[in-house]
Amino acid sequence: MSKPEVLAVAKLHPFYQKALESVYTVHDRTHLTEPAAFAALGPRIVGVAGTGESSVPRSLLSQLPNAKVVAVFGVGYDGVDVQAAIEHGIPVTHTPDVLTDDVADLAMGLVLSVGRAIPQADQFVRAGQWPNGPMALGRRVSGARLGIVGLGRIGKAIALRARAFGMSIAYTARSEKPESGFKFFVTAKELAANVDFLVVITPGGAGTKHLINADVLKALGPSGFLINVARGSVVDEEALIEALQNATIAGAGLDVFASEPHVPQALWSLPQVVLTPHIASATSQTRQAMADLAFANMLAGVSGQPLISPVPECMAMAK
Ligand code: NAP
Ligand code: 8YV
């Protein structure tokens, strides 16, 4: 008997790909590589698999009359047109919680990296510069003021870690969270003006596009550092490059970029910037847990069972 067919809309992590292949025939991006042939294939597709950065537009969903679920390998799903999916009766799932600790770990890693110039120190030793004299001094992290833009699952996990470093914590979000005990600022600009490290960890998409703009960076000031582990779209990348080049801010730690996997050359040459290639959830343990959860959602969706982790907008469809 032939296997049910699913569509991968991006190159999937091997853990997820392998799990899907054990049950389904997986069509790898054929909607992009063979759009004409896809017209015949579309009605056979029962599920869509993607990553947190994948694009699932209305035009694709309308070609999938028998799809029962979009199972995203990632907590972010800003590339999925969720409203269109709901209108087509296709619930969307994601992988929250299982990656929270890893992303918070990397955010703190970037705080330490930029503050204490750890990658630069490594380069300094490897380049044989130590015998010529000491490195420039770093910026103390313990006891510094941390601002978190987005106090959700990951934002709270970052706060927990920062507490162990004796940092004071303030945040902004769509709504105040009095139970957190942290100081709330209504805008990112006000928050930036009152912290040493500003960590961005909101969802991407239209609601947060360029939330961190030239004004916010100016408010962060010449001794402030920006960390972005959210989405490239949340920060105005041109404004950030300008702020770094003009020493409007002290430095930046960036895991995400506007046009991944392409990183502007202007960032490569700036010594006060630490760059990582979207690796915040990239440990074997977490990628396995994400694959397990995404696969479980695919199985549940295709077989009409209750979904394990639907996105909030699709909770009502998930029962
Ligand atoms: P979450 O629990 O939904 O938290 C999101 C937070 O962002 C909430 O506190 C929310 O505020 C806040 N927020 C949303 N829109 C905002 C706005 N316009 N202004 C200010 N704050 C806003 O999500 P999570 O699990 O922590 O994940 C957050 C994001 O991290 C994901 O969506 C993804 O884009 C990114 N991420 C990146 C990586 C990576 O590899 N770099 C890995 C995982 C996740 P309210 O609480 O008031 O609603
Ligand atoms: C992943 C992410 O790198 O969960 C997210 O939103 O951005 C990351 O965990 C990504 O989804 C896998 O490509």
Side-chain angles (χ1 to χ4, degrees):
M1 215 179 82
S2 63
K3 292 174 174 175
E5 296 172 76
V6 299
L7 174 70
V9 291
K11 178 151 181 57
L12 299 178
H13 190 282
F15 292 155
Y16 189 23
Q17 176 83 21
K18 228 175 146 189
L20 290 172
E21 282 173 358
S22 68
V23 178
Y24 306 108
T25 296
V26 182
H27 296 279
D28 185 3
R29 292 166 282 179
T30 38
H31 63 306
L32 300 175
T33 54
E34 299 166 53
F38 192 74
L41 174 61
R44 301 207 303 272
I45 297 296
V46 293
V48 177
T51 67
E53 304 91 317
S54 292
S55 171
V56 184
R58 178 180 289 274
S59 56
L60 173 60
L61 292 160
S62 64
Q63 292 181 78
L64 308 174
N66 295 306
K68 300 200 167 48
V69 64
V70 175
V72 172
F73 173 91
V75 65
Y77 52 94
D78 40 289
V80 181
D81 187 335
V82 178
Q83 186 50 42
I86 292 169
E87 286 169 27
H88 285 86
I90 309 172
V92 180
T93 67
H94 64 155
T95 61
D97 302 315
V98 295
L99 45 62
T100 293
D101 285 333
D102 272 9
V103 182
D105 288 351
L106 191 89
M108 283 309 292
L110 287 172
V111 167
L112 288 163
S113 293
V114 296
R116 301 300 306 275
I118 297 170
Q120 295 87 335
D122 177 85
Q123 287 304 316
F124 184 83
V125 174
R126 287 173 200 266
Q129 289 176 7
W130 195 3
N132 304 330
M135 263 185 76
L137 297 178
R139 203 264 174 239
R140 186 180 163 99
V141 170
S142 287
R145 300 170 301 166
L146 177 71
I148 303 176
V149 182
L151 197 71
R153 287 171 291 248
I154 302 170
K156 286 177 188 149
I158 294 168
L160 194 68
R161 284 154 177 74
R163 267 285 163 93
F165 282 82
M167 299 179 93
S168 66
I169 295 156
Y171 69 100
T172 188
R174 287 177 299 195
S175 64
E176 188 171 0
K177 287 129 198 17
E179 74 289 351
S180 73
F182 306 137
K183 186 162 175 49
F184 174 66
F185 288 94
V186 176
T187 66
K189 186 176 167 183
E190 286 173 274
L191 177 66
N194 286 281
V195 300
D196 305 304
F197 294 91
L198 187 69
V199 177
V200 185
I201 185 64
T202 63
T208 55
K209 190 167 165 61
H210 293 184
L211 183 63
I212 308 302
N213 56 25
D215 274 357
V216 176
L217 296 168
K218 193 163 172 226
L220 184 57
S223 57
F225 293 88
L226 179 79
I227 311 297
N228 187 10
V229 284
R231 284 286 182 270
S233 60
V234 187
V235 174
D236 179 341
E237 204 164 77
E238 276 183 32
L240 173 62
I241 291 168
E242 212 176 301
L244 288 162
Q245 286 171 337
N246 299 334
T248 305
I249 65 170
L254 308 170
D255 186 50
V256 287
F257 304 89
S259 303
E260 295 175 12
H262 305 291
V263 176
Q265 291 241 1
L267 287 173
W268 302 11
S269 56
L270 291 165
Q272 72 278 39
V273 178
V274 176
L275 306 169
T276 53
H278 203 143
I279 55 160
S281 68
T283 66
S284 311
Q285 296 76 10
T286 290
R287 286 289 161 88
Q288 186 64 63
M290 291 164 67
D292 292 347
L293 183 50
F295 181 53
N297 275 309
M298 180 67 85
L299 287 177
V302 170
S303 61
Q305 299 298 311
L307 298 169
I308 295 107
S309 46
V311 303
E313 300 93 316
C314 296
M315 289 286 185
M317 302 169 75
K319 295 183 181 111

